[in-house]
mmCIF file of all heavy atoms in Angstrom:
data_model
loop_
_atom_site.group_PDB
_atom_site.id
_atom_site.type_symbol
_atom_site.label_atom_id
_atom_site.label_comp_id
_atom_site.label_asym_id
_atom_site.label_seq_id
_atom_site.Cartn_x
_atom_site.Cartn_y
_atom_site.Cartn_z
ATOM 1 N N GLY C 1 53.665 -71.280 12.906
ATOM 2 C CA GLY C 1 54.905 -71.536 12.165
ATOM 3 C C GLY C 1 54.756 -70.847 10.847
ATOM 4 O O GLY C 1 53.769 -70.932 10.176
ATOM 5 N N ARG C 2 55.870 -70.202 10.422
ATOM 6 C CA ARG C 2 55.805 -69.521 9.154
ATOM 7 C C ARG C 2 56.981 -69.955 8.230
ATOM 8 O O ARG C 2 58.062 -70.262 8.692
ATOM 9 C CB ARG C 2 55.809 -68.034 9.318
ATOM 10 C CG ARG C 2 57.137 -67.415 9.734
ATOM 11 C CD ARG C 2 57.126 -65.896 9.709
ATOM 12 N NE ARG C 2 58.429 -65.361 10.045
ATOM 13 C CZ ARG C 2 59.405 -65.103 9.146
ATOM 14 N NH1 ARG C 2 59.155 -65.249 7.865
ATOM 15 N NH2 ARG C 2 60.543 -64.592 9.554
ATOM 16 N N ALA C 3 56.696 -70.000 6.936
ATOM 17 C CA ALA C 3 57.694 -70.280 5.965
ATOM 18 C C ALA C 3 58.554 -69.054 5.741
ATOM 19 O O ALA C 3 58.150 -67.947 6.082
ATOM 20 C CB ALA C 3 56.988 -70.651 4.643
ATOM 21 N N ARG C 4 59.758 -69.274 5.272
ATOM 22 C CA ARG C 4 60.644 -68.186 4.968
ATOM 23 C C ARG C 4 60.961 -68.268 3.552
ATOM 24 O O ARG C 4 61.456 -69.264 3.038
ATOM 25 C CB ARG C 4 61.983 -68.249 5.817
ATOM 26 C CG ARG C 4 62.893 -67.066 5.379
ATOM 27 C CD ARG C 4 63.992 -66.836 6.352
ATOM 28 N NE ARG C 4 64.674 -65.681 5.872
ATOM 29 C CZ ARG C 4 65.932 -65.334 6.297
ATOM 30 N NH1 ARG C 4 66.539 -66.184 7.182
ATOM 31 N NH2 ARG C 4 66.544 -64.332 5.834
ATOM 32 N N PHE C 5 60.769 -67.177 2.833
ATOM 33 C CA PHE C 5 61.165 -67.082 1.427
ATOM 34 C C PHE C 5 62.450 -66.410 1.313
ATOM 35 O O PHE C 5 62.744 -65.402 2.030
ATOM 36 C CB PHE C 5 60.058 -66.335 0.625
ATOM 37 C CG PHE C 5 58.751 -67.095 0.506
ATOM 38 C CD1 PHE C 5 57.794 -67.057 1.445
ATOM 39 C CD2 PHE C 5 58.594 -67.939 -0.594
ATOM 40 C CE1 PHE C 5 56.632 -67.722 1.337
ATOM 41 C CE2 PHE C 5 57.385 -68.659 -0.731
ATOM 42 C CZ PHE C 5 56.411 -68.563 0.278
ATOM 43 N N VAL C 6 63.324 -66.931 0.406
ATOM 44 C CA VAL C 6 64.585 -66.341 0.206
ATOM 45 C C VAL C 6 64.734 -66.068 -1.317
ATOM 46 O O VAL C 6 63.975 -66.567 -2.144
ATOM 47 C CB VAL C 6 65.766 -67.292 0.670
ATOM 48 C CG1 VAL C 6 65.686 -67.456 2.181
ATOM 49 C CG2 VAL C 6 65.709 -68.627 0.011
ATOM 50 N N SER C 7 65.721 -65.244 -1.689
ATOM 51 C CA SER C 7 65.930 -64.896 -3.079
ATOM 52 C C SER C 7 66.514 -66.111 -3.821
ATOM 53 O O SER C 7 67.422 -66.731 -3.272
ATOM 54 C CB SER C 7 66.799 -63.696 -3.176
ATOM 55 O OG SER C 7 67.103 -63.376 -4.556
ATOM 56 N N GLY C 8 66.062 -66.322 -5.025
ATOM 57 C CA GLY C 8 66.649 -67.436 -5.826
ATOM 58 C C GLY C 8 66.273 -67.294 -7.299
ATOM 59 O O GLY C 8 65.124 -67.313 -7.598
ATOM 60 N N SER C 9 67.315 -67.133 -8.129
ATOM 61 C CA SER C 9 67.090 -67.026 -9.544
ATOM 62 C C SER C 9 66.058 -66.012 -9.945
ATOM 63 O O SER C 9 65.243 -66.209 -10.801
ATOM 64 C CB SER C 9 66.656 -68.396 -10.117
ATOM 65 O OG SER C 9 67.649 -69.369 -9.783
ATOM 66 N N GLY C 10 66.037 -64.918 -9.230
ATOM 67 C CA GLY C 10 65.155 -63.770 -9.602
ATOM 68 C C GLY C 10 63.730 -63.921 -9.025
ATOM 69 O O GLY C 10 62.872 -62.971 -9.239
ATOM 70 N N SER C 11 63.433 -64.940 -8.339
ATOM 71 C CA SER C 11 62.084 -65.041 -7.684
ATOM 72 C C SER C 11 62.245 -65.663 -6.325
ATOM 73 O O SER C 11 63.196 -66.375 -6.035
ATOM 74 C CB SER C 11 61.152 -65.850 -8.579
ATOM 75 O OG SER C 11 61.667 -67.182 -8.716
ATOM 76 N N PRO C 12 61.351 -65.359 -5.422
ATOM 77 C CA PRO C 12 61.374 -65.970 -4.062
ATOM 78 C C PRO C 12 61.171 -67.447 -4.088
ATOM 79 O O PRO C 12 60.273 -67.936 -4.857
ATOM 80 C CB PRO C 12 60.268 -65.215 -3.324
ATOM 81 C CG PRO C 12 59.392 -64.634 -4.332
ATOM 82 C CD PRO C 12 60.119 -64.517 -5.572
ATOM 83 N N ILE C 13 61.989 -68.162 -3.305
ATOM 84 C CA ILE C 13 61.800 -69.608 -3.150
ATOM 85 C C ILE C 13 61.888 -69.917 -1.626
ATOM 86 O O ILE C 13 62.388 -69.120 -0.862
ATOM 87 C CB ILE C 13 62.849 -70.436 -3.918
ATOM 88 C CG1 ILE C 13 64.261 -69.913 -3.706
ATOM 89 C CG2 ILE C 13 62.552 -70.357 -5.410
ATOM 90 C CD1 ILE C 13 65.311 -70.622 -4.384
ATOM 91 N N LEU C 14 61.356 -71.022 -1.216
ATOM 92 C CA LEU C 14 61.267 -71.405 0.201
ATOM 93 C C LEU C 14 62.635 -71.868 0.728
ATOM 94 O O LEU C 14 63.289 -72.739 0.123
ATOM 95 C CB LEU C 14 60.244 -72.495 0.343
ATOM 96 C CG LEU C 14 58.792 -72.101 0.228
ATOM 97 C CD1 LEU C 14 57.879 -73.205 0.022
ATOM 98 C CD2 LEU C 14 58.346 -71.233 1.446
ATOM 99 N N GLY C 15 62.995 -71.308 1.815
ATOM 100 C CA GLY C 15 64.263 -71.702 2.514
ATOM 101 C C GLY C 15 64.108 -73.040 3.188
ATOM 102 O O GLY C 15 63.078 -73.348 3.710
ATOM 103 N N LYS C 16 65.126 -73.850 3.232
ATOM 104 C CA LYS C 16 65.126 -75.109 3.988
ATOM 105 C C LYS C 16 66.466 -75.429 4.678
ATOM 106 O O LYS C 16 66.535 -76.342 5.425
ATOM 107 C CB LYS C 16 64.737 -76.273 3.072
ATOM 108 C CG LYS C 16 65.677 -76.533 1.930
ATOM 109 C CD LYS C 16 65.142 -77.633 1.070
ATOM 110 C CE LYS C 16 65.911 -77.852 -0.178
ATOM 111 N NZ LYS C 16 65.395 -78.888 -1.067
ATOM 112 N N TRP C 17 67.479 -74.662 4.415
ATOM 113 C CA TRP C 17 68.805 -74.900 5.045
ATOM 114 C C TRP C 17 69.101 -73.829 6.063
ATOM 115 O O TRP C 17 68.877 -72.682 5.916
ATOM 116 C CB TRP C 17 69.865 -74.831 3.913
ATOM 117 C CG TRP C 17 69.806 -75.907 2.910
ATOM 118 C CD1 TRP C 17 69.117 -75.896 1.765
ATOM 119 C CD2 TRP C 17 70.332 -77.225 3.043
ATOM 120 N NE1 TRP C 17 69.239 -77.111 1.120
ATOM 121 C CE2 TRP C 17 70.012 -77.939 1.867
ATOM 122 C CE3 TRP C 17 71.114 -77.861 3.981
ATOM 123 C CZ2 TRP C 17 70.404 -79.237 1.634
ATOM 124 C CZ3 TRP C 17 71.555 -79.187 3.745
ATOM 125 C CH2 TRP C 17 71.173 -79.816 2.649
ATOM 126 N N GLY C 18 69.693 -74.291 7.213
ATOM 127 C CA GLY C 18 70.116 -73.430 8.264
ATOM 128 C C GLY C 18 69.019 -73.199 9.273
ATOM 129 O O GLY C 18 67.858 -73.342 9.056
ATOM 130 N N LYS C 19 69.480 -72.928 10.532
ATOM 131 C CA LYS C 19 68.565 -72.799 11.638
ATOM 132 C C LYS C 19 67.577 -71.629 11.506
ATOM 133 O O LYS C 19 66.527 -71.580 12.153
ATOM 134 C CB LYS C 19 69.281 -72.725 12.999
ATOM 135 C CG LYS C 19 69.992 -71.466 13.212
ATOM 136 C CD LYS C 19 70.635 -71.552 14.634
ATOM 137 C CE LYS C 19 71.330 -70.236 14.945
ATOM 138 N NZ LYS C 19 71.820 -70.234 16.333
ATOM 139 N N ASN C 20 67.849 -70.668 10.608
ATOM 140 C CA ASN C 20 66.915 -69.603 10.323
ATOM 141 C C ASN C 20 66.391 -69.689 8.885
ATOM 142 O O ASN C 20 65.866 -68.698 8.381
ATOM 143 C CB ASN C 20 67.525 -68.296 10.627
ATOM 144 C CG ASN C 20 68.695 -67.901 9.779
ATOM 145 O OD1 ASN C 20 69.129 -68.746 8.927
ATOM 146 N ND2 ASN C 20 69.240 -66.733 9.891
ATOM 147 N N LEU C 21 66.574 -70.896 8.236
ATOM 148 C CA LEU C 21 66.077 -71.062 6.850
ATOM 149 C C LEU C 21 66.588 -70.042 5.901
ATOM 150 O O LEU C 21 65.901 -69.536 5.068
ATOM 151 C CB LEU C 21 64.530 -71.133 6.835
ATOM 152 C CG LEU C 21 63.884 -72.196 7.710
ATOM 153 C CD1 LEU C 21 62.404 -71.988 7.742
ATOM 154 C CD2 LEU C 21 64.240 -73.563 7.148
ATOM 155 N N ALA C 22 67.896 -69.767 6.000
ATOM 156 C CA ALA C 22 68.492 -68.656 5.213
ATOM 157 C C ALA C 22 68.718 -69.039 3.738
ATOM 158 O O ALA C 22 68.958 -68.127 2.984
ATOM 159 C CB ALA C 22 69.893 -68.353 5.829
ATOM 160 N N ALA C 23 68.627 -70.287 3.363
ATOM 161 C CA ALA C 23 68.934 -70.677 1.973
ATOM 162 C C ALA C 23 68.010 -71.804 1.504
ATOM 163 O O ALA C 23 67.575 -72.620 2.342
ATOM 164 C CB ALA C 23 70.352 -71.139 1.845
ATOM 165 N N ALA C 24 67.711 -71.781 0.251
ATOM 166 C CA ALA C 24 66.915 -72.844 -0.385
ATOM 167 C C ALA C 24 67.758 -74.013 -0.922
ATOM 168 O O ALA C 24 67.283 -75.071 -1.075
ATOM 169 C CB ALA C 24 66.025 -72.253 -1.514
ATOM 170 N N ARG C 25 69.020 -73.647 -1.235
ATOM 171 C CA ARG C 25 69.919 -74.674 -1.827
ATOM 172 C C ARG C 25 71.131 -74.887 -0.883
ATOM 173 O O ARG C 25 71.560 -73.921 -0.262
ATOM 174 C CB ARG C 25 70.333 -74.252 -3.199
ATOM 175 C CG ARG C 25 69.308 -74.021 -4.200
ATOM 176 C CD ARG C 25 69.829 -73.467 -5.556
ATOM 177 N NE ARG C 25 70.972 -72.626 -5.454
ATOM 178 C CZ ARG C 25 72.079 -72.797 -6.202
ATOM 179 N NH1 ARG C 25 72.197 -73.743 -7.078
ATOM 180 N NH2 ARG C 25 73.103 -71.944 -6.044
ATOM 181 N N PHE C 26 71.649 -76.066 -0.940
ATOM 182 C CA PHE C 26 72.850 -76.375 -0.171
ATOM 183 C C PHE C 26 73.959 -75.373 -0.501
ATOM 184 O O PHE C 26 74.647 -74.878 0.381
ATOM 185 C CB PHE C 26 73.301 -77.799 -0.322
ATOM 186 C CG PHE C 26 74.600 -78.139 0.309
ATOM 187 C CD1 PHE C 26 74.614 -78.661 1.600
ATOM 188 C CD2 PHE C 26 75.834 -77.959 -0.352
ATOM 189 C CE1 PHE C 26 75.786 -78.911 2.278
ATOM 190 C CE2 PHE C 26 77.012 -78.244 0.343
ATOM 191 C CZ PHE C 26 76.964 -78.741 1.629
ATOM 192 N N GLU C 27 74.179 -75.200 -1.783
ATOM 193 C CA GLU C 27 75.250 -74.335 -2.248
ATOM 194 C C GLU C 27 75.131 -72.927 -1.659
ATOM 195 O O GLU C 27 76.111 -72.303 -1.300
ATOM 196 C CB GLU C 27 75.355 -74.289 -3.788
ATOM 197 C CG GLU C 27 75.655 -75.641 -4.375
ATOM 198 C CD GLU C 27 74.512 -76.599 -4.478
ATOM 199 O OE1 GLU C 27 73.398 -76.340 -3.972
ATOM 200 O OE2 GLU C 27 74.711 -77.661 -5.094
ATOM 201 N N ASP C 28 73.914 -72.435 -1.648
ATOM 202 C CA ASP C 28 73.751 -71.044 -1.089
ATOM 203 C C ASP C 28 74.031 -71.027 0.392
ATOM 204 O O ASP C 28 74.631 -70.049 0.894
ATOM 205 C CB ASP C 28 72.275 -70.579 -1.352
ATOM 206 C CG ASP C 28 71.941 -70.427 -2.801
ATOM 207 O OD1 ASP C 28 72.843 -70.197 -3.632
ATOM 208 O OD2 ASP C 28 70.760 -70.597 -3.183
ATOM 209 N N PHE C 29 73.595 -72.062 1.120
ATOM 210 C CA PHE C 29 73.859 -72.119 2.537
ATOM 211 C C PHE C 29 75.384 -72.312 2.786
ATOM 212 O O PHE C 29 75.938 -71.654 3.743
ATOM 213 C CB PHE C 29 73.091 -73.270 3.199
ATOM 214 C CG PHE C 29 73.284 -73.233 4.693
ATOM 215 C CD1 PHE C 29 72.789 -72.223 5.484
ATOM 216 C CD2 PHE C 29 74.047 -74.254 5.360
ATOM 217 C CE1 PHE C 29 72.972 -72.136 6.845
ATOM 218 C CE2 PHE C 29 74.252 -74.210 6.695
ATOM 219 C CZ PHE C 29 73.721 -73.119 7.462
ATOM 220 N N ALA C 30 76.053 -73.132 1.988
ATOM 221 C CA ALA C 30 77.491 -73.242 2.160
ATOM 222 C C ALA C 30 78.202 -71.895 1.941
ATOM 223 O O ALA C 30 79.132 -71.608 2.645
ATOM 224 C CB ALA C 30 78.031 -74.288 1.156
ATOM 225 N N GLN C 31 77.717 -71.116 0.996
ATOM 226 C CA GLN C 31 78.341 -69.792 0.762
ATOM 227 C C GLN C 31 78.087 -68.862 1.976
ATOM 228 O O GLN C 31 78.955 -68.195 2.407
ATOM 229 C CB GLN C 31 77.731 -69.156 -0.458
ATOM 230 C CG GLN C 31 78.394 -67.942 -0.885
ATOM 231 C CD GLN C 31 79.790 -68.153 -1.456
ATOM 232 O OE1 GLN C 31 79.991 -68.964 -2.416
ATOM 233 N NE2 GLN C 31 80.796 -67.526 -0.878
ATOM 234 N N ILE C 32 76.828 -68.892 2.555
ATOM 235 C CA ILE C 32 76.521 -68.085 3.722
ATOM 236 C C ILE C 32 77.408 -68.490 4.865
ATOM 237 O O ILE C 32 78.039 -67.695 5.546
ATOM 238 C CB ILE C 32 75.016 -68.232 4.052
ATOM 239 C CG1 ILE C 32 74.198 -67.545 2.973
ATOM 240 C CG2 ILE C 32 74.733 -67.616 5.445
ATOM 241 C CD1 ILE C 32 72.703 -67.873 3.066
ATOM 242 N N ALA C 33 77.503 -69.848 5.105
ATOM 243 C CA ALA C 33 78.325 -70.363 6.188
ATOM 244 C C ALA C 33 79.807 -70.035 5.987
ATOM 245 O O ALA C 33 80.507 -69.658 6.927
ATOM 246 C CB ALA C 33 78.125 -71.874 6.387
ATOM 247 N N GLY C 34 80.226 -70.194 4.700
ATOM 248 C CA GLY C 34 81.649 -69.856 4.423
ATOM 249 C C GLY C 34 81.951 -68.415 4.761
ATOM 250 O O GLY C 34 82.960 -68.046 5.332
ATOM 251 N N ASP C 35 81.037 -67.516 4.322
ATOM 252 C CA ASP C 35 81.261 -66.083 4.578
ATOM 253 C C ASP C 35 81.283 -65.817 6.096
ATOM 254 O O ASP C 35 82.079 -65.028 6.604
ATOM 255 C CB ASP C 35 80.142 -65.235 3.952
ATOM 256 C CG ASP C 35 80.237 -65.207 2.437
ATOM 257 O OD1 ASP C 35 81.253 -65.668 1.857
ATOM 258 O OD2 ASP C 35 79.234 -64.762 1.804
ATOM 259 N N ALA C 36 80.394 -66.477 6.829
ATOM 260 C CA ALA C 36 80.318 -66.287 8.300
ATOM 261 C C ALA C 36 81.565 -66.739 8.998
ATOM 262 O O ALA C 36 81.947 -66.214 10.022
ATOM 263 C CB ALA C 36 79.087 -66.972 8.822
ATOM 264 N N HIS C 37 82.207 -67.722 8.447
ATOM 265 C CA HIS C 37 83.402 -68.329 9.068
ATOM 266 C C HIS C 37 84.715 -67.957 8.382
ATOM 267 O O HIS C 37 85.736 -68.601 8.578
ATOM 268 C CB HIS C 37 83.262 -69.838 9.178
ATOM 269 C CG HIS C 37 82.144 -70.255 10.062
ATOM 270 N ND1 HIS C 37 82.191 -70.105 11.436
ATOM 271 C CD2 HIS C 37 80.938 -70.789 9.771
ATOM 272 C CE1 HIS C 37 81.021 -70.542 11.918
ATOM 273 N NE2 HIS C 37 80.266 -70.975 10.933
ATOM 274 N N ASP C 38 84.549 -67.006 7.457
ATOM 275 C CA ASP C 38 85.750 -66.505 6.661
ATOM 276 C C ASP C 38 86.410 -67.678 5.873
ATOM 277 O O ASP C 38 87.688 -67.819 5.926
ATOM 278 C CB ASP C 38 86.725 -65.794 7.582
ATOM 279 C CG ASP C 38 87.665 -64.879 6.755
ATOM 280 O OD1 ASP C 38 87.276 -64.459 5.640
ATOM 281 O OD2 ASP C 38 88.781 -64.663 7.260
ATOM 282 N N ILE C 39 85.625 -68.494 5.203
ATOM 283 C CA ILE C 39 86.136 -69.596 4.406
ATOM 284 C C ILE C 39 85.672 -69.328 2.962
ATOM 285 O O ILE C 39 84.461 -69.187 2.711
ATOM 286 C CB ILE C 39 85.576 -70.967 4.917
ATOM 287 C CG1 ILE C 39 85.944 -71.216 6.323
ATOM 288 C CG2 ILE C 39 86.122 -72.085 3.975
ATOM 289 C CD1 ILE C 39 85.205 -72.402 6.900
ATOM 290 N N ASP C 40 86.671 -69.261 2.037
ATOM 291 C CA ASP C 40 86.233 -69.083 0.663
ATOM 292 C C ASP C 40 85.854 -70.385 0.042
ATOM 293 O O ASP C 40 86.650 -71.220 -0.251
ATOM 294 C CB ASP C 40 87.407 -68.467 -0.125
ATOM 295 C CG ASP C 40 87.077 -68.242 -1.609
ATOM 296 O OD1 ASP C 40 85.898 -68.315 -1.985
ATOM 297 O OD2 ASP C 40 88.025 -67.952 -2.370
ATOM 298 N N VAL C 41 84.563 -70.603 -0.087
ATOM 299 C CA VAL C 41 84.055 -71.859 -0.671
ATOM 300 C C VAL C 41 83.684 -71.714 -2.102
ATOM 301 O O VAL C 41 83.230 -72.729 -2.768
ATOM 302 C CB VAL C 41 82.840 -72.376 0.179
ATOM 303 C CG1 VAL C 41 83.232 -72.653 1.607
ATOM 304 C CG2 VAL C 41 81.674 -71.375 0.084
ATOM 305 N N SER C 42 83.776 -70.544 -2.699
ATOM 306 C CA SER C 42 83.202 -70.272 -4.013
ATOM 307 C C SER C 42 83.644 -71.185 -5.064
ATOM 308 O O SER C 42 82.871 -71.597 -5.963
ATOM 309 C CB SER C 42 83.411 -68.793 -4.411
ATOM 310 O OG SER C 42 84.810 -68.520 -4.413
ATOM 311 N N GLY C 43 84.857 -71.655 -5.049
ATOM 312 C CA GLY C 43 85.360 -72.524 -6.103
ATOM 313 C C GLY C 43 85.158 -74.018 -5.809
ATOM 314 O O GLY C 43 85.431 -74.838 -6.677
ATOM 315 N N ASP C 44 84.641 -74.323 -4.622
ATOM 316 C CA ASP C 44 84.576 -75.708 -4.229
ATOM 317 C C ASP C 44 83.159 -76.114 -3.847
ATOM 318 O O ASP C 44 82.965 -77.141 -3.198
ATOM 319 C CB ASP C 44 85.411 -75.974 -2.997
ATOM 320 C CG ASP C 44 86.902 -76.152 -3.352
ATOM 321 O OD1 ASP C 44 87.278 -76.449 -4.458
ATOM 322 O OD2 ASP C 44 87.755 -75.899 -2.433
ATOM 323 N N LEU C 45 82.133 -75.417 -4.253
ATOM 324 C CA LEU C 45 80.750 -75.712 -3.833
ATOM 325 C C LEU C 45 80.302 -77.105 -4.178
ATOM 326 O O LEU C 45 79.718 -77.823 -3.396
ATOM 327 C CB LEU C 45 79.787 -74.672 -4.364
ATOM 328 C CG LEU C 45 79.915 -73.303 -3.670
ATOM 329 C CD1 LEU C 45 79.056 -72.280 -4.423
ATOM 330 C CD2 LEU C 45 79.610 -73.352 -2.202
ATOM 331 N N ASP C 46 80.549 -77.497 -5.415
ATOM 332 C CA ASP C 46 80.171 -78.899 -5.814
ATOM 333 C C ASP C 46 80.971 -79.960 -5.017
ATOM 334 O O ASP C 46 80.425 -80.949 -4.574
ATOM 335 C CB ASP C 46 80.385 -79.153 -7.314
ATOM 336 C CG ASP C 46 79.359 -78.392 -8.138
ATOM 337 O OD1 ASP C 46 78.289 -78.087 -7.578
ATOM 338 O OD2 ASP C 46 79.624 -78.185 -9.319
ATOM 339 N N ALA C 47 82.237 -79.726 -4.837
ATOM 340 C CA ALA C 47 83.099 -80.639 -4.100
ATOM 341 C C ALA C 47 82.690 -80.679 -2.638
ATOM 342 O O ALA C 47 82.692 -81.802 -2.061
ATOM 343 C CB ALA C 47 84.551 -80.227 -4.247
ATOM 344 N N ILE C 48 82.327 -79.564 -2.081
ATOM 345 C CA ILE C 48 81.869 -79.560 -0.635
ATOM 346 C C ILE C 48 80.551 -80.317 -0.540
ATOM 347 O O ILE C 48 80.373 -81.143 0.383
ATOM 348 C CB ILE C 48 81.783 -78.092 -0.127
ATOM 349 C CG1 ILE C 48 83.141 -77.472 0.015
ATOM 350 C CG2 ILE C 48 81.047 -78.083 1.187
ATOM 351 C CD1 ILE C 48 83.154 -76.021 0.253
#
């Protein structure tokens, strides 16, 4: 089993969200999922 590092604040951080560990933070994963499903979540990340 291998860890996945993702970009975050200028340095790599460990992914923990999504089936392929694409994001380290919920907000980043929500943005990725929003883009994949054509949902603009950028203004609502905290609310989501």
Side-chain angles (χ1 to χ4, degrees):
R2 72 172 184 91
R4 176 164 185 200
F5 289 88
V6 296
S7 177
S9 303
S11 62
I13 50 181
L14 289 163
K16 64 182 173 183
W17 293 92
K19 70 178 185 176
N20 64 355
L21 299 172
R25 300 178 327 133
F26 175 88
E27 293 81 355
D28 297 331
F29 184 68
Q31 189 69 56
I32 291 167
D35 291 348
H37 297 289
D38 199 26
I39 303 169
D40 181 10
V41 299
S42 57
D44 282 336
L45 290 172
D46 288 339
I48 290 169

